[in-house]
Amino acid sequence: MNCLQSWPEPIVRVQSLSDSGIHVLPDRYIRHPSDRPSFTPISTHANIPVIDLHSLLAARDARLRQATLDRISGACREWGFFQVVNHGVRPELMKSIRQLWRDFFHLPLEAKQVYANSPATYEGYGSRLGVEKGAKLDWSDYFFLNYLPESARDENKWPTTPESCRELVHEYSKAVVELCGILMKILSVNLGLEGDHLQNAFGGDDVGACLRVNYYPKCPQPDLTLGISPHSDPGGMTILLPDDDVSGLQVRKGEHWVTVEPIPDALIVNLGDQIQVISNAIYKSVEHRVIVNSIKERVSLAYFYNPKGDLLIEPAKKLVSKDRPASYSAMTFDQYRLFIRQSGLWGKSQVESLKCSQ
């Protein structure tokens, strides 16, 4: 792990570049023509499914409940992404936590630099993933913190300004973790497993949960770069609180990229590589990326719900048969995410590398 103790080059804050008034992107952010947003076709006639969870959380109508379960199952199999409304997280809390982090990124640079991170844990204020010297960089800054397990939580690394930061992070984290627990049961049942199977495979009460707040400054040449490179999430499940004013998330569907249009008070759910592995590829983690724009900044909060780091993750035995053999080799999540921390984001190459030869 010694190679992960420091960044290979001095860190440049993307927000500082944007605020400096540059009109031409530095070369480190300019993508190869085939990797630029305009190279691949954009679908303007599709959006990820939108699912109302009220029938699962409150209603007693069995038919409506089953219809909702079926919609979630279809979204997991066909998209790997869906938006949820009436999900139990208070809209006022969502607005407050998003504004709080926007205010954090508007603090003077020296106030944020106190929390500058390293690749050892990524906790704190950062501007890159991966430690490859000379690698292309994303047009974004971020703040990363651990919430679960409690042994990994270090509130001294959480901002004290804005004043309500730590209190709101706790409240929002508790609400999102509760939602993740509900969704894990739904996914398990839809796979034909016991309701607690996925949760137990992740470590029961000893799961991991961490928050990455993304800040995408205005960009002088947004057609040449990306806010986040194409990737599938390495963990289990991600709950994304998108910007309420600016779209930017794009999801791959076949050969097209679909721009996700956020719905007021909705959260975006996407499945990570670990659920693809446990489901034996019945559920899919899907490649996604973020585009930026020249007019407005964008803030989003990605909550990652992950397996305990030292547990082996492998296809559920009930989902393996002669007709559907195990598609993936077993690996711990700690081993798996080390690839991302060393190499950055590279599409779905990591999960594909686990495939067993048939």
Side-chain angles (χ1 to χ4, degrees), residues 21 27 33 48 51 63 73 76 89 94 116 123 173 244-245 276 325 332 334 343 354:
D27 182 66
I48 62 174
I51 299 173
R63 288 178 299 176
S73 178
C76 291
V89 182
M94 295 163 62
E123 288 178 278
S173 297
D244 58 349
D245 187 43
Q276 177 169 322
T332 69
D334 279 345
S343 305
L354 291 182

mmCIF file of all heavy atoms in Angstrom, residues 21 27 33 48 51 63 73 76 89 94 116 123 173 244-245 276 325 332 334 343 354:
data_model
loop_
_atom_site.group_PDB
_atom_site.id
_atom_site.type_symbol
_atom_site.label_atom_id
_atom_site.label_comp_id
_atom_site.label_asym_id
_atom_site.label_seq_id
_atom_site.Cartn_x
_atom_site.Cartn_y
_atom_site.Cartn_z
ATOM 1 N N GLY A 21 -10.728 32.005 -14.726
ATOM 2 C CA GLY A 21 -11.199 32.613 -15.970
ATOM 3 C C GLY A 21 -10.532 32.084 -17.225
ATOM 4 O O GLY A 21 -10.600 32.718 -18.278
ATOM 5 N N ASP A 27 -4.131 20.649 -20.986
ATOM 6 C CA ASP A 27 -4.080 19.385 -21.724
ATOM 7 C C ASP A 27 -4.471 18.185 -20.869
ATOM 8 O O ASP A 27 -5.037 17.215 -21.382
ATOM 9 C CB ASP A 27 -2.663 19.186 -22.281
ATOM 10 C CG ASP A 27 -2.557 17.913 -23.110
ATOM 11 O OD1 ASP A 27 -3.199 17.849 -24.178
ATOM 12 O OD2 ASP A 27 -1.854 16.975 -22.671
ATOM 13 N N PRO A 33 -10.195 12.195 -28.790
ATOM 14 C CA PRO A 33 -11.462 12.453 -29.503
ATOM 15 C C PRO A 33 -12.524 11.381 -29.317
ATOM 16 O O PRO A 33 -13.720 11.693 -29.206
ATOM 17 C CB PRO A 33 -11.009 12.565 -30.963
ATOM 18 C CG PRO A 33 -9.623 13.129 -30.863
ATOM 19 C CD PRO A 33 -9.027 12.494 -29.634
ATOM 20 N N ILE A 48 -34.156 6.772 -17.441
ATOM 21 C CA ILE A 48 -34.186 5.607 -16.573
ATOM 22 C C ILE A 48 -35.554 5.511 -15.900
ATOM 23 O O ILE A 48 -36.253 6.511 -15.758
ATOM 24 C CB ILE A 48 -33.051 5.670 -15.533
ATOM 25 C CG1 ILE A 48 -33.203 6.894 -14.624
ATOM 26 C CG2 ILE A 48 -31.693 5.674 -16.221
ATOM 27 C CD1 ILE A 48 -32.192 6.930 -13.475
ATOM 28 N N ILE A 51 -39.686 5.015 -10.115
ATOM 29 C CA ILE A 51 -40.483 4.078 -9.326
ATOM 30 C C ILE A 51 -40.911 4.723 -8.016
ATOM 31 O O ILE A 51 -40.095 5.281 -7.289
ATOM 32 C CB ILE A 51 -39.674 2.789 -9.052
ATOM 33 C CG1 ILE A 51 -39.309 2.120 -10.389
ATOM 34 C CG2 ILE A 51 -40.466 1.834 -8.160
ATOM 35 C CD1 ILE A 51 -38.387 0.936 -10.262
ATOM 36 N N ARG A 63 -51.515 -6.228 -4.741
ATOM 37 C CA ARG A 63 -51.268 -6.183 -6.183
ATOM 38 C C ARG A 63 -50.366 -5.015 -6.549
ATOM 39 O O ARG A 63 -49.465 -5.158 -7.391
ATOM 40 C CB ARG A 63 -52.602 -6.077 -6.935
ATOM 41 C CG ARG A 63 -53.426 -7.361 -6.908
ATOM 42 C CD ARG A 63 -54.733 -7.182 -7.629
ATOM 43 N NE ARG A 63 -55.559 -6.137 -6.997
ATOM 44 C CZ ARG A 63 -56.720 -5.719 -7.472
ATOM 45 N NH1 ARG A 63 -57.197 -6.225 -8.598
ATOM 46 N NH2 ARG A 63 -57.407 -4.789 -6.832
ATOM 47 N N SER A 73 -37.494 -5.002 -10.307
ATOM 48 C CA SER A 73 -36.780 -6.130 -10.899
ATOM 49 C C SER A 73 -36.422 -5.837 -12.348
ATOM 50 O O SER A 73 -35.288 -6.075 -12.787
ATOM 51 C CB SER A 73 -37.636 -7.398 -10.809
ATOM 52 O OG SER A 73 -36.979 -8.491 -11.411
ATOM 53 N N CYS A 76 -33.577 -3.322 -12.574
ATOM 54 C CA CYS A 76 -32.278 -3.899 -12.207
ATOM 55 C C CYS A 76 -31.709 -4.768 -13.323
ATOM 56 O O CYS A 76 -30.493 -4.823 -13.520
ATOM 57 C CB CYS A 76 -32.414 -4.731 -10.938
ATOM 58 S SG CYS A 76 -32.749 -3.768 -9.441
ATOM 59 N N VAL A 89 -36.806 9.572 2.590
ATOM 60 C CA VAL A 89 -35.835 10.606 2.969
ATOM 61 C C VAL A 89 -36.521 11.963 2.785
ATOM 62 O O VAL A 89 -37.010 12.265 1.690
ATOM 63 C CB VAL A 89 -34.554 10.527 2.118
ATOM 64 C CG1 VAL A 89 -33.546 11.585 2.576
ATOM 65 C CG2 VAL A 89 -33.939 9.136 2.194
ATOM 66 N N MET A 94 -32.890 16.678 2.104
ATOM 67 C CA MET A 94 -32.158 16.592 0.839
ATOM 68 C C MET A 94 -31.718 17.978 0.367
ATOM 69 O O MET A 94 -30.559 18.180 -0.033
ATOM 70 C CB MET A 94 -33.032 15.912 -0.218
ATOM 71 C CG MET A 94 -33.343 14.451 0.105
ATOM 72 S SD MET A 94 -34.753 13.799 -0.841
ATOM 73 C CE MET A 94 -34.160 13.952 -2.514
ATOM 74 N N ALA A 116 -7.446 18.425 2.808
ATOM 75 C CA ALA A 116 -6.860 17.798 1.616
ATOM 76 C C ALA A 116 -6.590 16.315 1.860
ATOM 77 O O ALA A 116 -6.068 15.926 2.913
ATOM 78 C CB ALA A 116 -5.577 18.522 1.224
ATOM 79 N N GLU A 123 -10.133 9.912 2.042
ATOM 80 C CA GLU A 123 -10.970 10.743 2.910
ATOM 81 C C GLU A 123 -10.555 12.209 2.811
ATOM 82 O O GLU A 123 -9.376 12.533 2.903
ATOM 83 C CB GLU A 123 -10.851 10.287 4.357
ATOM 84 C CG GLU A 123 -11.521 8.967 4.662
ATOM 85 C CD GLU A 123 -11.309 8.568 6.108
ATOM 86 O OE1 GLU A 123 -10.240 8.012 6.417
ATOM 87 O OE2 GLU A 123 -12.213 8.815 6.927
ATOM 88 N N SER A 173 -27.082 10.620 6.486
ATOM 89 C CA SER A 173 -26.500 9.283 6.384
ATOM 90 C C SER A 173 -27.426 8.235 6.983
ATOM 91 O O SER A 173 -27.634 7.159 6.398
ATOM 92 C CB SER A 173 -25.150 9.251 7.104
ATOM 93 O OG SER A 173 -24.221 10.122 6.496
ATOM 94 N N ASP A 244 -30.338 19.811 -8.216
ATOM 95 C CA ASP A 244 -31.752 20.069 -8.491
ATOM 96 C C ASP A 244 -31.965 21.018 -9.658
ATOM 97 O O ASP A 244 -33.110 21.302 -10.032
ATOM 98 C CB ASP A 244 -32.453 20.612 -7.246
ATOM 99 C CG ASP A 244 -31.806 21.890 -6.724
ATOM 100 O OD1 ASP A 244 -30.705 22.235 -7.189
ATOM 101 O OD2 ASP A 244 -32.403 22.541 -5.841
ATOM 102 N N ASP A 245 -30.867 21.487 -10.268
ATOM 103 C CA ASP A 245 -31.008 22.499 -11.313
ATOM 104 C C ASP A 245 -30.300 22.127 -12.608
ATOM 105 O O ASP A 245 -30.671 22.605 -13.679
ATOM 106 C CB ASP A 245 -30.460 23.838 -10.795
ATOM 107 C CG ASP A 245 -30.723 24.990 -11.745
ATOM 108 O OD1 ASP A 245 -31.844 25.067 -12.285
ATOM 109 O OD2 ASP A 245 -29.811 25.814 -11.963
ATOM 110 N N GLN A 276 -23.739 -7.190 -8.986
ATOM 111 C CA GLN A 276 -23.672 -7.947 -10.235
ATOM 112 C C GLN A 276 -23.025 -9.310 -9.989
ATOM 113 O O GLN A 276 -23.495 -10.332 -10.502
ATOM 114 C CB GLN A 276 -22.880 -7.182 -11.299
ATOM 115 C CG GLN A 276 -22.712 -7.969 -12.602
ATOM 116 C CD GLN A 276 -22.163 -7.162 -13.744
ATOM 117 O OE1 GLN A 276 -22.499 -5.990 -13.906
ATOM 118 N NE2 GLN A 276 -21.299 -7.769 -14.553
ATOM 119 N N PRO A 325 -23.693 -21.472 -14.821
ATOM 120 C CA PRO A 325 -22.542 -21.622 -13.915
ATOM 121 C C PRO A 325 -22.088 -20.279 -13.367
ATOM 122 O O PRO A 325 -22.460 -19.215 -13.888
ATOM 123 C CB PRO A 325 -21.472 -22.240 -14.822
ATOM 124 C CG PRO A 325 -21.874 -21.875 -16.217
ATOM 125 C CD PRO A 325 -23.370 -21.809 -16.210
ATOM 126 N N THR A 332 -12.362 -10.331 -2.266
ATOM 127 C CA THR A 332 -12.852 -9.420 -1.238
ATOM 128 C C THR A 332 -13.035 -8.027 -1.832
ATOM 129 O O THR A 332 -12.394 -7.671 -2.831
ATOM 130 C CB THR A 332 -11.890 -9.321 -0.046
ATOM 131 O OG1 THR A 332 -10.695 -8.639 -0.451
ATOM 132 C CG2 THR A 332 -11.552 -10.696 0.511
ATOM 133 N N ASP A 334 -12.066 -5.279 -0.427
ATOM 134 C CA ASP A 334 -10.814 -4.555 -0.247
ATOM 135 C C ASP A 334 -9.867 -4.785 -1.420
ATOM 136 O O ASP A 334 -9.223 -3.847 -1.918
ATOM 137 C CB ASP A 334 -10.122 -4.992 1.059
ATOM 138 C CG ASP A 334 -10.689 -4.299 2.286
ATOM 139 O OD1 ASP A 334 -11.405 -3.287 2.119
ATOM 140 O OD2 ASP A 334 -10.417 -4.778 3.405
ATOM 141 N N SER A 343 -5.626 2.729 -10.177
ATOM 142 C CA SER A 343 -5.703 2.969 -11.616
ATOM 143 C C SER A 343 -6.762 3.971 -12.035
ATOM 144 O O SER A 343 -6.788 4.379 -13.194
ATOM 145 C CB SER A 343 -5.971 1.629 -12.335
ATOM 146 O OG SER A 343 -4.998 0.668 -11.994
ATOM 147 N N LEU A 354 -12.989 -10.348 -13.541
ATOM 148 C CA LEU A 354 -13.313 -11.427 -12.605
ATOM 149 C C LEU A 354 -14.025 -12.598 -13.266
ATOM 150 O O LEU A 354 -14.236 -13.631 -12.634
ATOM 151 C CB LEU A 354 -14.214 -10.889 -11.490
ATOM 152 C CG LEU A 354 -13.613 -9.901 -10.485
ATOM 153 C CD1 LEU A 354 -14.658 -9.554 -9.451
ATOM 154 C CD2 LEU A 354 -12.379 -10.467 -9.830
#
